[in-house]
Amino acid sequence: MPSKSILEQKQAIVADLAEQLKNSPAGVVVNYQGITVEDDTKMRKALREAGVNYMVMKNSLTGRACDEVGLSDMKQYLTGMTAIAIGTTDAVAPAKVLKEYAEKIESFNILAGYLDGKVVDEATVKQLADIPSKEVLIAKLLGSIKSPLYNLAYALQAVVDKDGEEAPAAEAAEAPAEA
């Protein structure tokens, strides 16, 4: 039987993981078997830069943390050599980075994930990874808002230019009539 101090340590780990899961918008569970140390180091760096916490933890501890936050369905994916990537702010970041490595490394697999408190399958995680970044989406939105305004400005300018061309012709036509 484990000592009381070891049980307390494990309970603290589960509580910390549960808190991270509860406060994050999304996360991904992967099977990291077969990844080289070099690739793992690069992947961890990319995840850190994207604001993602990546942890290799015992499946039983991860399962308990999932139970605490209502992600019990995630436990079915916690077999073998698993790791969990938890997005701190961006819901798309963990899926994006991990999908890139899953495509490069044959034995590295995305198993499942969660999004807004619901467990999602591998296909949904991959669809999430294909969503453009927040900055790109904002730029597209602003571009679509700005485009009609530019078109209106060009149309108004064309009307002004057209009136400007007709005015000298009208003045020239009126001038001989006065003489």
Side-chain angles (χ1 to χ4, degrees):
M1 176 143 199
S3 68
K4 185 176 181 178
S5 63
I6 291 175
L7 287 175
E8 288 172 357
Q9 288 174 349
K10 288 182 179 183
Q11 288 171 345
I13 290 169
V14 169
D16 180 52
L17 180 58
E19 188 68 25
Q20 288 184 49
L21 291 170
K22 186 170 59 172
N23 294 328
S24 71
V28 178
V29 174
V30 296
N31 180 335
Y32 67 90
Q33 186 172 358
I35 190 168
T36 64
V37 173
E38 181 182 350
D39 286 335
D40 187 57
T41 303
K42 288 178 187 176
M43 181 185 65
R44 286 175 185 261
K45 182 179 182 219
L47 288 166
R48 264 192 313 277
E49 290 171 354
V52 177
N53 295 332
Y54 180 78
M55 295 167 274
V56 174
M57 191 174 295
K58 284 186 164 188
N59 292 331
S60 59
L61 297 179
T62 304
R64 286 189 183 122
C66 288
D67 282 341
E68 283 188 26
V69 295
L71 297 172
S72 297
D73 292 343
M74 183 78 76
K75 288 170 48 175
Q76 65 182 322
Y77 301 104
L78 299 175
T79 59
M81 298 173 64
T82 61
I84 187 164
I86 301 171
T88 54
T89 55
D90 187 2
V92 177
K96 258 189 191 322
V97 175
L98 293 173
K99 182 182 179 209
E100 176 186 332
Y101 281 90
E103 289 173 348
K104 284 196 276 187
I105 303 163
E106 190 175 317
S107 61
F108 185 87
N109 299 315
I110 294 174
L111 300 174
Y114 66 93
L115 179 63
D116 294 329
K118 293 184 176 60
V119 176
V120 294
D121 63 355
E122 174 191 3
T124 306
V125 172
K126 289 182 177 179
Q127 287 176 343
L128 187 63
D130 292 335
I131 294 174
S133 69
K134 183 178 180 180
E135 292 79 17
V136 171
L137 290 173
I138 290 171
K140 285 182 177 184
L141 175 67
L142 292 177
S144 66
I145 290 172
K146 192 168 66 170
S147 179
L149 294 176
Y150 275 129
N151 291 338
L152 176 63
Y154 288 134
L156 292 174
Q157 187 62 44
V159 169
V160 169
D161 291 345
K162 183 178 177 186
D163 288 342
E165 290 173 4
E166 291 178 3
E171 289 173 11
E174 290 177 15
E178 292 175 10

